Amino acid sequence: MFYISTRGQTRPHSFTEAVEVGLATDGGLFLPEKLPDISGKLASWAGLTYPELAAEFFTLFGPDIPAEEWRSLTAEAYSRFDSPDVAPLKKISEQTYVLELWHGPTLAFKDFALQLLGLLYKRQVKLKGKKLAVLGATSGDTGSAAIHGCMGQEGIEIFILYPNGRVAPLQERQMACTGAANVYAIPVPGTFDDAQRVVKECFGDPSFVSAVNLSAVNSINIARVLAQCVYYIWAWMKLPEEARATVEFVVPTGNFGNVMAGWMAQQMGLPCGGFRVATNQNDILYRFFETGEYKQGDVSPSYAPSMDIQAASNFERYLYFMLGKDQNRVREIMLRMKRGDRVTLPKTASSFRASRMDDATIAEVIAQVWKDHGYVVDPHTACAFTDMAKDRVSVVLSTASPAKFPEVVQEATGAEPLHPSLEVLKALPLKTDPLPATAEAVKAFIREKVGA
Ligand SMILES: *Cc1c(COP(=O)(O)O)cnc(C)c1O
């Protein structure tokens, strides 16, 4: 199994190489050169626990890591989830199930990938005997999940930049209250884009990158997408048999990473019905699936901040498949998108539907779902609850615990959503390392901390 770039200008990489470098040197994203067919394996996977299923799956995609080691990696990665099912599937009405993806340490679905990625980094450090500096920018959930995947891991220092005052208070606490010596939560002035720009500039300095052995943590690592495929297979196997062939997965979407994983599982032979891309008011993907036109606008802050995105970084992977794996065309179209050109793609038959939801409706939906089903959803998950398929079962992917977004939820339901791990956090001291939003300042700080 080798990994190629969507833009076709890098040599094939092994799984561990592709995970280590993250982004291909031609600017493209890694994908397996050929998707394996899992349809013949589903029956034998039926009785497995979640970590066992993940190990079977990854043995297909990362054959350069022995099967035995995959079993211990996935067992450890999912041992810190607070549900024995890891990803429990709850039935809330005759036709509707909710797949709760927030039982990991930071209470959002990103833990599924980043708990595992932290262990893969650790394995790399051990094999190579070289310390690693992990750097990323976050608007909230990715940073906290990455920190919890790396904290306390020997040989790794993790640096996460975020816009000062612009992440949710509990998200900041998840980053800044770990007490771990290898974690640096770095507020910088400005917006998420400023933080992101500084990170990019750091990676644009090759001598710095090699001096501190810098690695990027972001939403495009292939290990993240693959780790997310597993819970689609898991949920599908938990459904009543008669519901499986037509089930629609409804996925709150920003960067297109989560729903891309589901679609890839379907391409591998998971016989499910299809997907609905559920966006908030930042609806570039909704507009794309409705009209075929991909045109970036400005980001407007919403109740569902982890979906406040106008450039869906994982979309390039879908594009690659849609363009018949024509890497030259992917390269050309990505260039046009980067310039901000309007790009229109032919509308092809696809298994995607799309929906959008504004903030006023998000608040109404949280109240309505509570009233109808006695079930509390967070503002991201709320975006899924519209335009439900009438003739088949839906599985809503619940991406965060309502306790992470207490204000909106309390206003809608009248009760403050609580989670014990967040209550603990509220009492802990905040430790941040504020820096100016410049690459010079950040590079000097990292150098000092890793002793390079
Ligand atoms: C990151 C995130 C999303 C969006 O996921 P993508 O993979 O970017 O589409 C949705 N909800 C929550 C809670 C998130 O943290």
Side-chain angles (χ1 to χ4, degrees):
M1 165 76 65
F2 280 100
Y3 291 80
I4 48 103
S5 163
T6 48
R7 301 190 193 179
Q9 298 187 316
T10 45
R11 64 168 175 80
H13 284 54
S14 71
F15 173 81
T16 44
E17 284 176 327
V19 170
E20 189 183 6
V21 297
L23 191 69
T25 46
D26 61 3
L29 308 185
F30 285 112
L31 275 172
E33 56 179 347
K34 189 170 177 302
L35 293 178
D37 182 1
I38 61 166
S39 57
K41 305 198 179 280
L42 295 169
S44 70
W45 287 352
L48 301 180
T49 64
Y50 193 93
E52 286 167 351
L53 176 65
E56 290 294 317
F57 183 83
F58 270 102
T59 304
L60 299 175
F61 286 90
D64 47 332
I65 297 180
E68 192 51 46
E69 205 177 340
W70 272 121
R71 281 192 284 276
S72 61
L73 284 167
T74 56
E76 189 178 346
Y78 300 114
S79 66
R80 296 175 61 213
F81 282 56
D82 70 5
S83 159
D85 265 1
V86 181
L89 184 69
K90 300 215 166 136
K91 184 172 184 173
I92 64 165
S93 77
E94 212 37 61
Q95 297 258 67
T96 316
Y97 292 76
V98 176
L99 182 65
E100 291 182 348
L101 298 176
W102 40 262
H103 290 275
T106 70
L107 315 184
F109 85 91
K110 295 189 172 70
D111 287 326
F112 277 86
L114 287 163
Q115 283 292 308
L116 189 62
L117 194 59
L119 295 175
L120 291 171
Y121 284 149
K122 177 175 151 190
R123 180 180 180 276
Q124 204 66 20
V125 167
K126 228 184 195 159
L127 277 180
K128 293 203 161 169
K130 216 159 120 191
K131 287 188 179 177
L132 197 63
V134 175
L135 173 63
T138 188
S139 54
D141 285 337
T142 302
S144 54
I147 282 173
H148 284 258
C150 291
M151 67 191 224
Q153 308 279 26
E154 209 176 314
I156 302 177
E157 309 282 332
I158 177 162
F159 303 85
I160 298 292
L161 272 55
Y162 60 93
N164 199 357
R166 292 188 189 225
V167 302
L170 284 171
Q171 288 177 326
E172 181 171 40
R173 292 203 152 263
Q174 286 182 325
M175 295 191 274
C177 300
T178 62
N182 70 333
V183 170
Y184 303 93
I186 304 174
V188 295
T191 64
F192 169 71
D193 291 336
D194 295 306
Q196 181 77 337
R197 175 182 47 78
V198 172
V199 167
K200 280 197 180 141
E201 281 172 23
C202 291
F203 279 97
D205 176 351
S207 69
F208 172 72
V209 169
S210 71
V212 302
N213 199 21
L214 197 66
S215 181
V217 63
N218 51 35
S219 62
I220 49 82
N221 199 297
I222 184 66
R224 292 187 63 181
V225 177
L226 293 174
Q228 292 164 188
C229 294
V230 177
Y231 49 68
Y232 286 90
I233 303 168
W234 171 260
W236 183 90
M237 295 193 307
K238 299 272 164 201
L239 284 172
E241 234 164 280
E242 66 279 8
R244 292 177 185 169
T246 54
V247 61
E248 182 171 73
F249 290 102
V250 188
V251 191
T253 302
N255 263 318
F256 206 68
N258 196 356
V259 68
M260 181 67 205
W263 185 81
M264 275 173 60
Q266 189 190 38
Q267 302 308 301
M268 293 167 203
L270 184 74
C272 61
F275 304 89
R276 174 151 55 83
V277 171
T279 75
N280 63 16
Q281 65 205 24
N282 293 297
D283 60 355
I284 180 167
L285 289 168
Y286 167 75
R287 285 182 279 122
F288 172 76
F289 282 105
E290 290 291 302
T291 66
E293 182 182 287
Y294 192 94
K295 174 89 178 78
Q296 292 181 23
D298 292 329
V299 175
S300 72
S302 80
Y303 285 159
S306 299
M307 291 154 55
D308 288 345
I309 278 154
Q310 280 292 342
S313 49
N314 268 291
F315 191 67
E316 182 167 344
R317 290 196 162 108
Y318 181 60
L319 204 58
Y320 166 84
F321 287 106
M322 242 187 351
L323 298 174
K325 306 190 179 180
D326 181 342
Q327 292 155 311
N328 293 326
R329 277 197 73 201
V330 174
R331 210 163 57 237
E332 177 222 330
I333 287 183
M334 289 313 297
L335 215 76
R336 279 166 51 202
M337 284 184 180
K338 200 174 163 198
R339 284 202 305 257
D341 289 5
R342 170 199 309 223
V343 173
T344 306
L345 296 160
K347 256 197 107 167
T348 50
S350 86
S351 41
F352 287 108
R353 294 202 300 140
S355 63
R356 76 180 295 277
M357 192 176 286
D358 60 26
D359 272 1
T361 315
I362 287 177
E364 280 168 29
V365 161
I366 295 173
Q368 195 65 40
V369 172
W370 168 239
K371 194 166 145 252
D372 291 348
H373 308 296
Y375 189 83
V376 184
V377 291
D378 93 289
H380 302 80
T381 308
C383 294
F385 283 85
T386 178
D387 196 17
M388 281 291 179
K390 302 233 165 14
D391 50 348
R392 49 191 164 147
V393 160
S394 297
V395 171
V396 167
L397 273 67
S398 179
T399 52
S401 159
K404 271 193 111 163
F405 304 92
E407 293 84 9
V408 199
V409 173
Q410 176 161 13
E411 213 174 296
T413 64
E416 188 184 1
L418 297 173
H419 191 282
S421 79
L422 296 177
E423 293 314 297
V424 172
L425 272 187
K426 287 175 190 167
L428 291 175
L430 213 62
K431 177 195 157 276
T432 63
D433 293 281
L435 289 175
T438 68
E440 289 67 45
V442 171
K443 287 195 278 188
F445 182 81
I446 295 176
R447 276 211 165 90
E448 179 202 324
K449 296 300 172 188
V450 305

Short mmCIF file of all heavy atoms in Angstrom, two decimals, residues 95-151:
data_model
loop_
_atom_site.label_atom_id
_atom_site.label_comp_id
_atom_site.label_asym_id
_atom_site.label_seq_id
_atom_site.Cartn_x
_atom_site.Cartn_y
_atom_site.Cartn_z
N GLN A 95 -36.63 6.62 13.10
CA GLN A 95 -35.78 6.70 11.90
C GLN A 95 -34.43 7.35 12.16
O GLN A 95 -33.65 7.54 11.23
CB GLN A 95 -36.50 7.56 10.84
CG GLN A 95 -37.80 7.00 10.36
CD GLN A 95 -37.64 6.34 9.00
OE1 GLN A 95 -36.97 5.32 8.90
NE2 GLN A 95 -38.21 6.94 7.99
N THR A 96 -34.18 7.79 13.40
CA THR A 96 -32.99 8.61 13.65
C THR A 96 -32.09 8.04 14.73
O THR A 96 -32.54 7.76 15.85
CB THR A 96 -33.39 10.05 14.07
OG1 THR A 96 -34.44 10.50 13.23
CG2 THR A 96 -32.20 11.00 13.98
N TYR A 97 -30.83 7.90 14.38
CA TYR A 97 -29.80 7.49 15.34
C TYR A 97 -28.79 8.62 15.47
O TYR A 97 -28.57 9.38 14.53
CB TYR A 97 -29.07 6.25 14.86
CG TYR A 97 -29.91 4.99 14.84
CD1 TYR A 97 -30.86 4.77 13.85
CD2 TYR A 97 -29.73 4.00 15.82
CE1 TYR A 97 -31.62 3.61 13.82
CE2 TYR A 97 -30.49 2.84 15.80
CZ TYR A 97 -31.43 2.65 14.80
OH TYR A 97 -32.17 1.50 14.78
N VAL A 98 -28.15 8.67 16.65
CA VAL A 98 -27.06 9.63 16.83
C VAL A 98 -25.79 8.84 17.17
O VAL A 98 -25.80 8.00 18.07
CB VAL A 98 -27.37 10.63 17.96
CG1 VAL A 98 -26.18 11.56 18.19
CG2 VAL A 98 -28.61 11.45 17.65
N LEU A 99 -24.74 9.09 16.42
CA LEU A 99 -23.44 8.47 16.70
C LEU A 99 -22.64 9.48 17.53
O LEU A 99 -22.21 10.52 17.01
CB LEU A 99 -22.72 8.14 15.39
CG LEU A 99 -21.36 7.43 15.53
CD1 LEU A 99 -21.51 6.04 16.15
CD2 LEU A 99 -20.66 7.34 14.17
N GLU A 100 -22.47 9.18 18.80
CA GLU A 100 -21.81 10.15 19.71
C GLU A 100 -20.30 10.02 19.59
O GLU A 100 -19.71 9.03 20.04
CB GLU A 100 -22.25 9.89 21.15
CG GLU A 100 -23.71 10.24 21.38
CD GLU A 100 -24.14 10.03 22.83
OE1 GLU A 100 -23.38 9.41 23.62
OE2 GLU A 100 -25.24 10.50 23.18
N LEU A 101 -19.69 11.05 19.02
CA LEU A 101 -18.24 11.00 18.76
C LEU A 101 -17.47 11.88 19.74
O LEU A 101 -16.41 12.38 19.42
CB LEU A 101 -17.98 11.45 17.31
CG LEU A 101 -18.63 10.57 16.24
CD1 LEU A 101 -18.40 11.16 14.86
CD2 LEU A 101 -18.09 9.14 16.31
N TRP A 102 -18.05 12.06 20.92
CA TRP A 102 -17.42 13.00 21.85
C TRP A 102 -17.13 12.38 23.21
O TRP A 102 -17.17 13.07 24.22
CB TRP A 102 -18.27 14.25 22.00
CG TRP A 102 -19.75 14.03 22.05
CD1 TRP A 102 -20.63 14.15 21.01
CD2 TRP A 102 -20.53 13.65 23.20
NE1 TRP A 102 -21.91 13.88 21.43
CE2 TRP A 102 -21.87 13.57 22.77
CE3 TRP A 102 -20.24 13.37 24.54
CZ2 TRP A 102 -22.92 13.22 23.62
CZ3 TRP A 102 -21.29 13.02 25.39
CH2 TRP A 102 -22.60 12.94 24.93
N HIS A 103 -16.77 11.11 23.21
CA HIS A 103 -16.42 10.48 24.48
C HIS A 103 -14.92 10.43 24.74
O HIS A 103 -14.47 9.78 25.68
CB HIS A 103 -17.08 9.11 24.58
CG HIS A 103 -18.57 9.21 24.73
ND1 HIS A 103 -19.17 9.38 25.95
CD2 HIS A 103 -19.55 9.24 23.81
CE1 HIS A 103 -20.49 9.50 25.78
NE2 HIS A 103 -20.74 9.40 24.49
N GLY A 104 -14.15 11.12 23.89
CA GLY A 104 -12.70 11.20 24.11
C GLY A 104 -12.34 12.32 25.06
O GLY A 104 -13.21 13.05 25.54
N PRO A 105 -11.04 12.48 25.34
CA PRO A 105 -10.59 13.43 26.36
C PRO A 105 -10.99 14.89 26.13
O PRO A 105 -11.15 15.62 27.09
CB PRO A 105 -9.06 13.30 26.34
CG PRO A 105 -8.73 12.16 25.46
CD PRO A 105 -9.95 11.67 24.78
N THR A 106 -11.15 15.35 24.88
CA THR A 106 -11.51 16.75 24.69
C THR A 106 -12.96 16.93 24.25
O THR A 106 -13.39 18.01 23.85
CB THR A 106 -10.58 17.48 23.70
OG1 THR A 106 -10.83 16.99 22.37
CG2 THR A 106 -9.12 17.26 24.04
N LEU A 107 -13.72 15.85 24.30
CA LEU A 107 -15.17 15.90 24.07
C LEU A 107 -15.57 16.38 22.67
O LEU A 107 -16.63 16.99 22.49
CB LEU A 107 -15.87 16.79 25.12
CG LEU A 107 -15.47 16.61 26.59
CD1 LEU A 107 -16.33 17.49 27.48
CD2 LEU A 107 -15.58 15.16 27.02
N ALA A 108 -14.72 16.11 21.68
CA ALA A 108 -15.11 16.38 20.29
C ALA A 108 -14.53 15.27 19.41
O ALA A 108 -13.62 14.55 19.83
CB ALA A 108 -14.60 17.74 19.83
N PHE A 109 -15.06 15.13 18.19
CA PHE A 109 -14.70 13.95 17.39
C PHE A 109 -13.24 13.92 16.99
O PHE A 109 -12.72 12.87 16.60
CB PHE A 109 -15.61 13.85 16.16
CG PHE A 109 -15.16 14.65 14.97
CD1 PHE A 109 -14.33 14.07 14.02
CD2 PHE A 109 -15.54 15.97 14.80
CE1 PHE A 109 -13.89 14.80 12.92
CE2 PHE A 109 -15.11 16.70 13.71
CZ PHE A 109 -14.28 16.12 12.77
N LYS A 110 -12.55 15.05 17.08
CA LYS A 110 -11.16 15.08 16.63
C LYS A 110 -10.26 14.17 17.47
O LYS A 110 -9.19 13.79 17.03
CB LYS A 110 -10.66 16.51 16.59
CG LYS A 110 -11.42 17.32 15.53
CD LYS A 110 -10.86 18.67 15.29
CE LYS A 110 -11.52 19.37 14.11
NZ LYS A 110 -12.92 19.77 14.37
N ASP A 111 -10.72 13.81 18.65
CA ASP A 111 -9.94 12.87 19.47
C ASP A 111 -9.75 11.51 18.78
O ASP A 111 -8.76 10.83 19.03
CB ASP A 111 -10.64 12.62 20.82
CG ASP A 111 -10.53 13.83 21.75
OD1 ASP A 111 -9.49 14.52 21.71
OD2 ASP A 111 -11.48 14.07 22.52
N PHE A 112 -10.69 11.10 17.95
CA PHE A 112 -10.56 9.79 17.29
C PHE A 112 -9.27 9.71 16.49
O PHE A 112 -8.60 8.69 16.46
CB PHE A 112 -11.76 9.54 16.36
CG PHE A 112 -12.94 9.01 17.09
CD1 PHE A 112 -13.84 9.86 17.70
CD2 PHE A 112 -13.13 7.63 17.22
CE1 PHE A 112 -14.92 9.37 18.41
CE2 PHE A 112 -14.20 7.13 17.92
CZ PHE A 112 -15.09 8.00 18.53
N ALA A 113 -8.95 10.81 15.80
CA ALA A 113 -7.74 10.80 15.00
C ALA A 113 -6.52 11.20 15.81
O ALA A 113 -5.45 10.62 15.67
CB ALA A 113 -7.91 11.73 13.81
N LEU A 114 -6.68 12.19 16.67
CA LEU A 114 -5.48 12.77 17.28
C LEU A 114 -4.94 11.97 18.45
O LEU A 114 -3.74 12.02 18.74
CB LEU A 114 -5.74 14.23 17.65
CG LEU A 114 -5.78 15.08 16.36
CD1 LEU A 114 -6.42 16.43 16.59
CD2 LEU A 114 -4.38 15.25 15.77
N GLN A 115 -5.78 11.18 19.10
CA GLN A 115 -5.23 10.27 20.11
C GLN A 115 -4.29 9.26 19.43
O GLN A 115 -3.24 8.94 19.94
CB GLN A 115 -6.37 9.53 20.84
CG GLN A 115 -7.08 10.38 21.88
CD GLN A 115 -6.20 10.72 23.08
OE1 GLN A 115 -5.61 9.84 23.68
NE2 GLN A 115 -6.10 11.99 23.40
N LEU A 116 -4.72 8.81 18.26
CA LEU A 116 -3.89 7.85 17.52
C LEU A 116 -2.65 8.53 16.93
O LEU A 116 -1.54 7.99 17.00
CB LEU A 116 -4.73 7.20 16.42
CG LEU A 116 -4.11 6.03 15.68
CD1 LEU A 116 -3.83 4.88 16.64
CD2 LEU A 116 -5.02 5.56 14.55
N LEU A 117 -2.84 9.72 16.37
CA LEU A 117 -1.72 10.42 15.75
C LEU A 117 -0.62 10.71 16.77
O LEU A 117 0.57 10.59 16.47
CB LEU A 117 -2.21 11.72 15.10
CG LEU A 117 -1.25 12.40 14.12
CD1 LEU A 117 -0.89 11.49 12.96
CD2 LEU A 117 -1.84 13.70 13.58
N GLY A 118 -1.00 11.07 18.00
CA GLY A 118 -0.01 11.31 19.05
C GLY A 118 0.85 10.08 19.28
O GLY A 118 2.07 10.16 19.43
N LEU A 119 0.22 8.91 19.26
CA LEU A 119 0.97 7.67 19.47
C LEU A 119 1.86 7.33 18.27
O LEU A 119 2.94 6.76 18.42
CB LEU A 119 0.01 6.51 19.76
CG LEU A 119 -0.79 6.65 21.07
CD1 LEU A 119 -1.80 5.51 21.19
CD2 LEU A 119 0.14 6.67 22.27
N LEU A 120 1.38 7.69 17.07
CA LEU A 120 2.22 7.46 15.89
C LEU A 120 3.45 8.36 15.91
O LEU A 120 4.55 7.95 15.54
CB LEU A 120 1.40 7.68 14.60
CG LEU A 120 0.32 6.63 14.33
CD1 LEU A 120 -0.57 7.05 13.16
CD2 LEU A 120 0.93 5.25 14.04
N TYR A 121 3.26 9.60 16.37
CA TYR A 121 4.41 10.50 16.54
C TYR A 121 5.41 9.90 17.54
O TYR A 121 6.61 9.89 17.33
CB TYR A 121 3.97 11.85 17.09
CG TYR A 121 3.31 12.79 16.10
CD1 TYR A 121 2.33 13.69 16.53
CD2 TYR A 121 3.67 12.82 14.76
CE1 TYR A 121 1.72 14.58 15.65
CE2 TYR A 121 3.07 13.70 13.88
CZ TYR A 121 2.10 14.58 14.33
OH TYR A 121 1.50 15.45 13.47
N LYS A 122 4.87 9.42 18.64
CA LYS A 122 5.71 8.87 19.70
C LYS A 122 6.53 7.68 19.17
O LYS A 122 7.73 7.55 19.44
CB LYS A 122 4.81 8.41 20.85
CG LYS A 122 5.53 7.76 22.00
CD LYS A 122 4.53 7.48 23.11
CE LYS A 122 4.94 6.27 23.94
NZ LYS A 122 3.86 5.85 24.84
N ARG A 123 5.87 6.85 18.36
CA ARG A 123 6.53 5.69 17.76
C ARG A 123 7.68 6.14 16.85
O ARG A 123 8.77 5.57 16.87
CB ARG A 123 5.48 4.92 16.95
CG ARG A 123 5.99 3.70 16.27
CD ARG A 123 4.86 3.02 15.50
NE ARG A 123 5.38 1.83 14.85
CZ ARG A 123 5.98 1.83 13.68
NH1 ARG A 123 6.13 2.96 13.01
NH2 ARG A 123 6.45 0.72 13.16
N GLN A 124 7.41 7.19 16.09
CA GLN A 124 8.40 7.75 15.18
C GLN A 124 9.63 8.26 15.94
O GLN A 124 10.77 8.03 15.54
CB GLN A 124 7.73 8.91 14.44
CG GLN A 124 8.33 9.25 13.12
CD GLN A 124 8.12 8.13 12.12
OE1 GLN A 124 7.24 7.28 12.30
NE2 GLN A 124 8.94 8.08 11.11
N VAL A 125 9.38 8.96 17.03
CA VAL A 125 10.46 9.52 17.85
C VAL A 125 11.35 8.39 18.36
O VAL A 125 12.58 8.47 18.34
CB VAL A 125 9.87 10.33 19.03
CG1 VAL A 125 10.95 10.65 20.06
CG2 VAL A 125 9.23 11.62 18.52
N LYS A 126 10.73 7.33 18.80
CA LYS A 126 11.45 6.19 19.35
C LYS A 126 12.30 5.52 18.27
O LYS A 126 13.48 5.23 18.48
CB LYS A 126 10.43 5.18 19.89
CG LYS A 126 10.75 4.69 21.29
CD LYS A 126 9.73 3.64 21.63
CE LYS A 126 9.68 3.30 23.08
NZ LYS A 126 8.36 2.68 23.36
N LEU A 127 11.69 5.31 17.09
CA LEU A 127 12.39 4.63 16.00
C LEU A 127 13.59 5.43 15.52
O LEU A 127 14.64 4.88 15.23
CB LEU A 127 11.44 4.43 14.81
CG LEU A 127 10.52 3.23 14.87
CD1 LEU A 127 9.65 3.18 13.62
CD2 LEU A 127 11.33 1.94 14.99
N LYS A 128 13.40 6.75 15.41
CA LYS A 128 14.44 7.58 14.81
C LYS A 128 15.40 8.15 15.85
O LYS A 128 16.44 8.69 15.49
CB LYS A 128 13.79 8.74 14.04
CG LYS A 128 13.03 8.26 12.82
CD LYS A 128 12.90 9.38 11.80
CE LYS A 128 12.56 8.82 10.43
NZ LYS A 128 12.18 9.87 9.49
N GLY A 129 15.01 8.09 17.10
CA GLY A 129 15.85 8.65 18.15
C GLY A 129 16.01 10.16 18.03
O GLY A 129 17.04 10.71 18.42
N LYS A 130 15.01 10.80 17.42
CA LYS A 130 15.10 12.25 17.20
C LYS A 130 13.87 12.91 17.81
O LYS A 130 12.74 12.50 17.55
CB LYS A 130 15.12 12.50 15.69
CG LYS A 130 15.99 13.64 15.27
CD LYS A 130 16.35 13.48 13.79
CE LYS A 130 15.87 14.67 12.98
NZ LYS A 130 15.95 14.45 11.54
N LYS A 131 14.09 13.96 18.63
CA LYS A 131 12.96 14.65 19.24
C LYS A 131 12.13 15.39 18.19
O LYS A 131 12.64 15.77 17.15
CB LYS A 131 13.45 15.66 20.28
CG LYS A 131 13.95 15.01 21.53
CD LYS A 131 14.22 16.07 22.57
CE LYS A 131 14.70 15.43 23.85
NZ LYS A 131 15.04 16.43 24.85
N LEU A 132 10.87 15.61 18.50
CA LEU A 132 9.94 16.21 17.55
C LEU A 132 9.31 17.46 18.16
O LEU A 132 8.91 17.45 19.33
CB LEU A 132 8.85 15.17 17.27
CG LEU A 132 7.95 15.34 16.06
CD1 LEU A 132 8.78 15.25 14.79
CD2 LEU A 132 6.88 14.24 16.06
N ALA A 133 9.23 18.54 17.37
CA ALA A 133 8.47 19.72 17.78
C ALA A 133 7.22 19.77 16.92
O ALA A 133 7.31 19.85 15.69
CB ALA A 133 9.30 20.99 17.60
N VAL A 134 6.07 19.69 17.54
CA VAL A 134 4.80 19.69 16.80
C VAL A 134 4.22 21.10 16.87
O VAL A 134 4.12 21.68 17.95
CB VAL A 134 3.82 18.67 17.40
CG1 VAL A 134 2.46 18.75 16.73
CG2 VAL A 134 4.40 17.26 17.28
N LEU A 135 3.85 21.65 15.70
CA LEU A 135 3.33 23.02 15.67
C LEU A 135 2.02 23.06 14.90
O LEU A 135 1.87 22.43 13.85
CB LEU A 135 4.36 23.94 14.99
CG LEU A 135 3.94 25.38 14.70
CD1 LEU A 135 3.65 26.16 15.98
CD2 LEU A 135 5.02 26.10 13.88
N GLY A 136 1.05 23.81 15.42
CA GLY A 136 -0.21 23.99 14.71
C GLY A 136 -0.92 25.25 15.14
O GLY A 136 -0.58 25.86 16.17
N ALA A 137 -1.90 25.66 14.32
CA ALA A 137 -2.76 26.79 14.69
C ALA A 137 -4.18 26.24 14.82
O ALA A 137 -4.54 25.29 14.12
CB ALA A 137 -2.73 27.86 13.61
N THR A 138 -4.96 26.82 15.69
CA THR A 138 -6.29 26.26 15.91
C THR A 138 -7.31 27.36 16.16
O THR A 138 -6.98 28.44 16.65
CB THR A 138 -6.29 25.29 17.12
OG1 THR A 138 -7.55 24.63 17.19
CG2 THR A 138 -6.06 26.03 18.44
N SER A 139 -8.56 27.05 15.80
CA SER A 139 -9.65 27.92 16.22
C SER A 139 -10.37 27.27 17.40
O SER A 139 -11.40 27.73 17.83
CB SER A 139 -10.60 28.16 15.06
OG SER A 139 -11.04 26.93 14.54
N GLY A 140 -9.82 26.16 17.89
CA GLY A 140 -10.42 25.55 19.09
C GLY A 140 -10.21 24.06 19.21
O GLY A 140 -9.29 23.59 19.87
N ASP A 141 -11.04 23.27 18.52
CA ASP A 141 -11.07 21.84 18.79
C ASP A 141 -9.83 21.07 18.34
O ASP A 141 -9.39 20.15 19.02
CB ASP A 141 -12.31 21.21 18.14
CG ASP A 141 -13.57 21.55 18.92
OD1 ASP A 141 -13.46 21.86 20.12
OD2 ASP A 141 -14.66 21.51 18.32
N THR A 142 -9.27 21.42 17.20
CA THR A 142 -8.10 20.68 16.71
C THR A 142 -6.94 20.83 17.68
O THR A 142 -6.25 19.87 18.02
CB THR A 142 -7.66 21.15 15.32
OG1 THR A 142 -8.76 20.99 14.43
CG2 THR A 142 -6.49 20.35 14.80
N GLY A 143 -6.71 22.06 18.14
CA GLY A 143 -5.59 22.32 19.04
C GLY A 143 -5.72 21.56 20.34
O GLY A 143 -4.76 20.92 20.79
N SER A 144 -6.89 21.57 20.92
CA SER A 144 -7.01 20.87 22.20
C SER A 144 -6.89 19.37 22.00
O SER A 144 -6.25 18.67 22.79
CB SER A 144 -8.30 21.25 22.94
OG SER A 144 -9.41 21.05 22.13
N ALA A 145 -7.46 18.84 20.91
CA ALA A 145 -7.33 17.40 20.66
C ALA A 145 -5.87 17.02 20.40
O ALA A 145 -5.39 15.99 20.87
CB ALA A 145 -8.21 16.98 19.49
N ALA A 146 -5.15 17.87 19.66
CA ALA A 146 -3.74 17.59 19.37
C ALA A 146 -2.92 17.61 20.66
O ALA A 146 -2.07 16.74 20.89
CB ALA A 146 -3.19 18.61 18.38
N ILE A 147 -3.20 18.59 21.51
CA ILE A 147 -2.48 18.68 22.78
C ILE A 147 -2.73 17.43 23.62
O ILE A 147 -1.81 16.83 24.17
CB ILE A 147 -2.90 19.96 23.53
CG1 ILE A 147 -2.19 21.17 22.89
CG2 ILE A 147 -2.60 19.86 25.02
CD1 ILE A 147 -2.63 22.52 23.41
N HIS A 148 -3.97 16.99 23.66
CA HIS A 148 -4.27 15.80 24.48
C HIS A 148 -3.72 14.52 23.86
O HIS A 148 -3.55 13.53 24.56
CB HIS A 148 -5.76 15.72 24.78
CG HIS A 148 -6.17 16.70 25.84
ND1 HIS A 148 -6.39 16.34 27.14
CD2 HIS A 148 -6.29 18.05 25.79
CE1 HIS A 148 -6.67 17.43 27.85
NE2 HIS A 148 -6.63 18.47 27.06
N GLY A 149 -3.45 14.55 22.55
CA GLY A 149 -2.81 13.40 21.92
C GLY A 149 -1.31 13.35 22.19
O GLY A 149 -0.70 12.28 22.15
N CYS A 150 -0.71 14.49 22.46
CA CYS A 150 0.76 14.57 22.59
C CYS A 150 1.24 14.82 24.01
O CYS A 150 2.42 14.65 24.30
CB CYS A 150 1.32 15.69 21.71
SG CYS A 150 1.19 15.39 19.95
N MET A 151 0.34 15.25 24.90
CA MET A 151 0.84 15.66 26.21
C MET A 151 1.46 14.49 26.96
O MET A 151 0.99 13.36 26.91
CB MET A 151 -0.27 16.32 27.05
CG MET A 151 -1.37 15.42 27.46
SD MET A 151 -2.72 16.42 28.15
CE MET A 151 -3.10 15.43 29.58
#
